[in-house]
Amino acid sequence: MFPSMSFSNLPRAHIDPIEAPLVALRLILMMVDPEASAETLVLTLDHRRCGVSITHVSGTDDPDAVLGVIDALAESARSSLGVAGLVVASIRPNVDLEISDLARWHEADRSCWESDIELVEWFVVGTSVSCPREFCGVPARWPR
């Protein structure tokens, strides 16, 4: 599906900025549990867009579960001086983007904004990869 990313060309935490959605998605997908039925992964970024951490939450079968994960991480990031942005991936085997994901994008974006964090991207990974932000008409938040 995606060209492989070796350990030698991975962006280094706190050192290498992540400036493209494909790089962020590749990094996140390396952490996907092949045995999981549904999960949510969140890459936290610092002010320079360098990776800080990846959080893995399994058992997020309910599509609304992503909102709880984002709320918790945004609130936690509010008290952390090192986190400025989130890149989220909802892994939904055999399920594609749902129309209700557009409302979820706006709710997640508002939650991040209230915590002074940028929701850089949210990938929905099922039988295809989609970004609800695009369907909401929100401009890309990646450097050009």
Side-chain angles (χ1 to χ4, degrees):
M1 175 184 217
F2 297 100
S4 64
M5 180 177 273
S6 70
F7 288 108
S8 63
N9 64 0
L10 284 174
R12 297 167 294 172
H14 304 286
I15 297 172
D16 301 319
I18 300 172
E19 298 178 330
L22 188 55
V23 173
L25 183 60
R26 285 180 182 165
L27 185 59
I28 288 170
L29 290 179
M30 290 181 72
M31 304 302 294
V32 170
D33 180 354
E35 303 297 321
S37 60
E39 57 191 331
T40 301
L41 293 102
V42 182
L43 170 63
T44 57
L45 303 173
D46 67 14
H47 293 283
R48 295 184 314 121
R49 291 278 173 99
C50 296
V52 174
S53 67
I54 297 178
T55 301
H56 176 265
V57 181
S58 59
T60 54
D61 298 285
D62 180 348
D64 284 336
V66 69
L67 298 174
V69 172
I70 291 172
D71 285 347
L73 285 171
E75 185 60 32
S76 173
R78 174 187 287 211
S79 62
S80 170
L81 297 176
V83 176
L86 302 179
V87 178
V88 180
S90 294
I91 311 302
R92 300 179 187 165
N94 305 314
V95 178
D96 284 322
L97 184 76
E98 300 175 347
I99 192 71
S100 54
D101 288 327
L102 282 60
R104 285 186 194 96
W105 163 265
H106 289 295
E107 188 172 338
D109 192 38
R110 183 174 41 257
S111 176
C112 289
W113 180 81
E114 289 171 354
S115 294
D116 200 27
I117 305 294
E118 181 179 31
L119 179 56
V120 177
E121 196 66 86
W122 173 32
F123 299 102
V124 175
V125 182
T127 56
S128 63
V129 177
S130 302
C131 297
R133 172 195 53 74
E134 293 175 344
F135 292 95
C136 291
V138 175
R141 296 176 175 178
W142 297 97
R144 303 219 178 241

